[in-house]
């Protein structure tokens, strides 16, 4: 019944180039580089979306997830100089430079918990004067104050920095953080894996091998993580698909990624000479193609902060099954010109999901159901 419906829907497909890709998806076969590029190049967005939605619903039914969470960015003073980043500054005397003390961090987490948050998401600059203990104590202090809160903190880029600061291995850094109370890693810092692109947009950041190595070590230690891709700047379609294929290969090894998050490039106040926001078509296609390529990733997130709530809502029918969450205080995208609000109310997320024809589920970080809104 279901397959007849999907075949009927796909009988309207107009782009012959993607017919073989459609067949592969319906036969449950893995897509390759050529397939991914054909999907990106296709003008038949609706067919690509129907196909991605078919895969999403096979995996997650009609459920679409959100989380009550808060982002905390302890400092924006950073030793790296990524060209796309408008949030960080290398100069401590820059008027926008800031650093939080532990009391401020705890009070932000306290407010989040009072609002019903199950997760805090902590990332920030690589502060040149903070040693590893500053970051480690941040986690233990939060854990002492909030025994049940899920602490998702520190990207692979930060883990690499801590390992250099403390002169210990990635594994030792992660074990210490886990013992202090860390629950999982966020996916930031992936950008685009292509060394060509990294040389242009993030020349001093760790490369893709270290990024994936750190995530795989975390997975082996029992820490789940998410993973991301920054798109809409100088990368090609091939480089986007290559990025996804590398993530798929790592996931085959460990199975530890919960979710893939395409992050739409925000063009303001940075040193990259690309001033255009991504288009809605590109946002939807990127979500759909990632759903189709990443057959072993359980969830695809439409991050409303970067693509706006209207496209994020629409993306729930183009392969995404998650909207992230309330966020409460977003800085990274907003320093770079994001037009979305800096936070969402839970009721609005529920409404956006229901209007998309999906069933809203409040989840925890690991996608356990907290409440289903039938
Ligand atoms: O690592 C920085 C990106 C990331 C810009 O793990 C930019 O669940 C667009 O990773 N335009 C941080 N993007 C955000 C992030 C994230 C967000 C939500 C959920 C999760 C998760 C992770 O933001 C950075 C970088 O890749 N970023 N500057 C910019 N101008």
């Amino acid at each position: 019944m279901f397959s007849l419906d999907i075949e009927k829907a796909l009988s309207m497909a107009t782009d012959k180039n993607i017919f073989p890709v459609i067949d592969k998806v319906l036969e449950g076969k893995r897509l390759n580089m050529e397939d991914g590029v054909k999907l990106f190049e296709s003008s038949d967005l609706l067919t690509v979306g129907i196909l991605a939605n078919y895969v999403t619903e096979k995996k997650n039914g009609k459920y679409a997830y959100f989380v009550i969470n808060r982002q905390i960015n302890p400092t924006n003073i950073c030793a790296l100089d990524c060209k796309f980043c408008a949030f960080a500054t290398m100069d401590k005397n820059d008027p926008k430079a800031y650093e939080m003390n532990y009391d401020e961090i705890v009070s932000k987490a306290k407010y989040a918990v009072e609002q019903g948050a199950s997760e805090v998401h902590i990332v920030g600059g690589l502060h040149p004067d903070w040693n590893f203990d500053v970051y480690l104590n941040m986690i233990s202090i939060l854990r002492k104050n909030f025994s049940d809160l899920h602490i998702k903190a520190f990207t692979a880029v930060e883990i690499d920095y801590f390992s250099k600061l403390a002169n210990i291995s990635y594994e030792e850094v992660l074990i210490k953080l886990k013992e202090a109370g860390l629950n999982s890693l966020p996916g930031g810092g992936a950008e685009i894996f292509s060394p060509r692109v990294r040389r242009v947009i993030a020349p001093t950041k760790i490369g893709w091998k270290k990024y994936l190595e750190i995530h795989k070590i975390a997975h082996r230690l029992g820490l789940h993580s998410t993973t991301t891709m920054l798109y809409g700047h100088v990368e090609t379609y091939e480089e986007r698909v290559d990025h996804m294929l590398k993530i798929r290969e790592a996931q085959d090894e460990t199975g530890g990624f919960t979710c893939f998050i395409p992050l739409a490039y925000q063009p303001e106040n940075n040193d990259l000479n690309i001033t255009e926001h991504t288009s809605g078509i590109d946002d939807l296609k990127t979500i759909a193609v990632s759903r189709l390529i990443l057959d072993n990733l359980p969830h695809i997130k439409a991050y409303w902060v970067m693509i706006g709530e209207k496209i994020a809502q629409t993306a729930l029918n183009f392969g995404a099954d998650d909207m992230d969450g309330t966020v409460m205080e977003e800085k990274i995208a907003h320093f770079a010109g994001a037009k979305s609000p800096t936070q969402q109310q839970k009721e609005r997320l529920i409404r956006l999901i229901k209007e998309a024809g999906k069933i809203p589920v409040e989840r925890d970080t690991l996608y356990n159901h907290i409440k289903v809104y039938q």
Side-chain angles (χ1 to χ4, degrees):
M1 173 68 181
F2 193 51
S3 65
L4 279 181
D5 284 350
I6 183 72
E7 275 165 28
K8 200 166 151 199
L10 292 169
S11 69
M12 309 293 281
T14 54
D15 176 6
K16 286 200 178 67
N17 276 337
I18 61 169
F19 287 0
V21 188
I22 296 174
D23 288 341
K24 275 173 103 171
V25 174
L26 295 182
E27 287 162 20
K29 291 190 182 144
R30 274 204 150 167
L31 303 189
N32 59 25
M33 167 66 85
E34 196 191 336
D35 302 325
V37 172
K38 276 187 188 160
L39 290 169
F40 269 120
E41 284 173 347
S42 178
S43 55
D44 192 356
L45 171 68
L46 284 183
T47 296
V48 178
I50 288 167
L51 205 56
N53 189 53
Y54 164 74
V55 171
T56 303
E57 294 199 355
K58 273 215 305 196
K59 281 187 187 291
N60 296 301
K62 290 268 178 196
Y63 290 142
Y65 296 90
F66 68 93
V67 58
I68 304 187
N69 64 349
R70 175 172 196 144
Q71 291 192 11
I72 303 177
N73 308 117
T75 180
N76 66 344
I77 302 169
C78 186
L80 293 183
D81 180 23
C82 300
K83 305 299 173 203
F84 58 83
C85 182
F87 162 73
T89 174
M90 295 177 93
D91 177 6
K92 281 178 249 172
N93 299 315
D94 185 328
K96 78 170 185 186
Y98 73 87
E99 48 189 55
M100 293 176 192
N101 59 33
Y102 291 146
D103 286 347
E104 285 171 88
I105 294 169
V106 168
S107 93
K108 283 177 189 288
K110 182 167 179 285
Y111 175 80
V113 170
E114 285 162 3
Q115 301 300 305
S118 57
E119 168 191 290
V120 281
H121 172 174
I122 303 175
V123 291
L126 310 183
H127 196 302
D129 301 339
W130 290 2
N131 60 26
F132 178 40
D133 282 343
V134 175
Y135 293 95
L136 194 60
N137 291 338
M138 202 182 285
I139 302 299
S140 31
I141 289 169
L142 282 169
R143 179 54 67 226
K144 266 192 209 109
N145 281 274
F146 310 101
S147 53
D148 296 333
L149 189 62
H150 184 108
I151 304 175
K152 171 167 118 181
F154 305 138
T155 65
V157 179
E158 287 158 292
I159 302 300
D160 173 76
Y161 185 59
F162 303 159
S163 126
K164 286 182 186 129
L165 285 179
N167 199 21
I168 54 177
S169 68
Y170 294 152
E171 185 168 359
E172 286 168 296
V173 169
L174 289 163
I175 289 171
K176 281 180 189 289
L177 287 166
K178 192 178 176 203
E179 283 169 0
L182 180 79
N183 298 109
S184 70
L185 298 188
E191 320 320 349
I192 285 271
F193 288 158
S194 151
R196 179 195 76 85
V197 176
R198 283 183 113 72
R199 275 195 294 276
V200 180
I201 69 166
T204 52
K205 189 169 261 180
I206 56 166
W208 69 273
K209 284 190 184 149
K210 284 188 176 167
Y211 175 93
L212 286 179
E213 182 191 347
I214 289 165
H215 280 269
K216 287 192 280 186
I217 294 169
H219 298 167
R220 292 195 183 101
L221 293 171
L223 297 164
H224 284 86
S225 67
T226 58
T227 183
T228 60
M229 177 182 77
L230 179 69
Y231 69 96
H233 40 90
V234 300
E235 84 290 359
T236 62
Y237 288 151
E238 282 80 3
E239 284 160 341
R240 289 188 196 180
V241 179
D242 173 71
H243 183 103
M244 293 174 195
L245 292 174
K246 287 189 164 68
I247 287 172
R248 189 172 78 183
E249 202 182 315
Q251 179 76 338
D252 278 343
E253 282 179 47
T254 64
F257 290 123
T258 54
C259 175
F260 178 71
I261 311 141
L263 298 170
Y265 168 68
Q266 309 295 314
E268 291 175 26
N269 308 318
N270 65 23
D271 293 334
L272 208 56
N273 200 14
I274 314 259
T275 52
E276 293 267 318
H277 282 267
T278 58
S279 72
I281 300 271
D282 196 21
D283 295 334
L284 291 174
K285 218 186 263 177
T286 306
I287 296 260
V289 177
S290 56
R291 178 62 289 165
L292 292 167
I293 295 278
L294 293 168
D295 56 3
N296 54 3
L297 262 282
H299 303 282
I300 304 290
K301 190 181 286 186
Y303 186 41
W304 60 264
V305 168
M306 303 275 186
I307 54 178
E309 60 181 39
K310 291 183 183 179
I311 294 291
Q313 180 191 41
T314 310
L316 296 177
N317 279 286
F318 283 76
D321 65 293
D322 184 31
M323 290 192 83
D324 198 80
T326 50
V327 175
M328 292 186 203
E329 190 181 16
E330 205 291 325
K331 292 183 193 290
I332 297 172
H334 286 85
F335 270 99
K339 305 289 177 240
S340 55
T342 54
Q343 58 176 307
Q344 285 286 346
Q345 297 305 316
K346 165 177 144 181
E347 293 70 25
R348 181 146 184 89
L349 290 168
I350 292 170
R351 187 187 136 193
L352 292 171
I353 293 170
K354 279 195 172 162
E355 276 182 4
K358 302 284 170 155
I359 303 166
V361 181
E362 183 190 339
R363 62 165 174 89
D364 66 13
T365 311
L366 301 179
Y367 291 84
N368 298 303
H369 291 197
I370 293 177
K371 185 165 178 188
V372 180
Y373 292 84
Q374 287 286 0

